[in-house]
Amino acid sequence: MSYLGLALGILGAALAAALSGAGSATGVGIVGQAAAGVITEDPGKFGKVLILQILPGTQGLYGFLAAFMIMNKLSPDLTAAQGLALLCAGLPIAIAGYVSAIYQGKTAAAGCSVVAKKPDQNGKAIIFAAMVETYAVLALLVTILLIGRV
């Protein structure tokens, strides 16, 4: 039980990175499928759909940042309460990052349809997808503030 705090802190870092990363991988994959369909009809639209595909990947980066910040707080003498606090601090970006990346992928995939039919409206498609990102950014902010309190 002497390393319980450390184990809980490691779990917090792992969940922040793994769940947000899994969500990003899923979201990027969803958009990639839609984008591939667009460029089979018009390869010149590659740049426009690539921007949409990149968007859901940011949540994975946010989770990585949170995991890195949690790992900087880890030490063998962490109490169980401190470890639990670090685990809880990683949960906002872990959960919101996972969910928002998937939904951002779905929104960006719909944006690929916009680009396919009206490429001049690409900016609007990006804005729709970026709106989902807001909640991942808020979750990252909560995670950072919580880590700072441990």
Side-chain angles (χ1 to χ4, degrees), residues 59 62 92-93 96-97 100 130-141:
Q59 284 85 335
Y62 299 159
I93 193 56
S100 69
M131 293 303 296
V132 182
E133 180 103 11
T134 304
Y135 300 97
V137 171
L138 292 174
L140 176 62
L141 180 58

Side-chain angles (χ1 to χ4, degrees), residues 74-101:
L74 297 179
S75 70
D77 59 338
L78 219 63
T79 67
Q82 290 169 320
L84 183 60
L86 288 173
L87 168 61
C88 292
L91 290 179
I93 193 56
I95 297 167
Y98 177 78
V99 173
S100 69

Side-chain angles (χ1 to χ4, degrees), residues 49-148:
V49 294
L50 179 62
I51 292 168
L52 289 166
Q53 187 181 17
I54 291 169
L55 290 174
T58 56
Q59 284 85 335
L61 295 173
Y62 299 159
F64 175 76
L65 173 65
F68 186 78
M69 292 179 70
I70 291 170
M71 287 187 291
N72 280 334
K73 293 271 193 174
L74 297 179
S75 70
D77 59 338
L78 219 63
T79 67
Q82 290 169 320
L84 183 60
L86 288 173
L87 168 61
C88 292
L91 290 179
I93 193 56
I95 297 167
Y98 177 78
V99 173
S100 69
I102 292 170
Y103 280 95
Q104 189 173 41
K106 291 178 180 187
T107 305
C112 287
S113 297
V114 172
V115 171
K117 295 176 183 173
K118 296 187 180 216
D120 60 314
Q121 300 297 310
N122 186 48
K124 292 176 182 173
I126 292 170
I127 290 170
F128 288 142
M131 293 303 296
V132 182
E133 180 103 11
T134 304
Y135 300 97
V137 171
L138 292 174
L140 176 62
L141 180 58
V142 169
T143 290
I144 289 171
L145 292 172
L146 289 172
I147 292 168

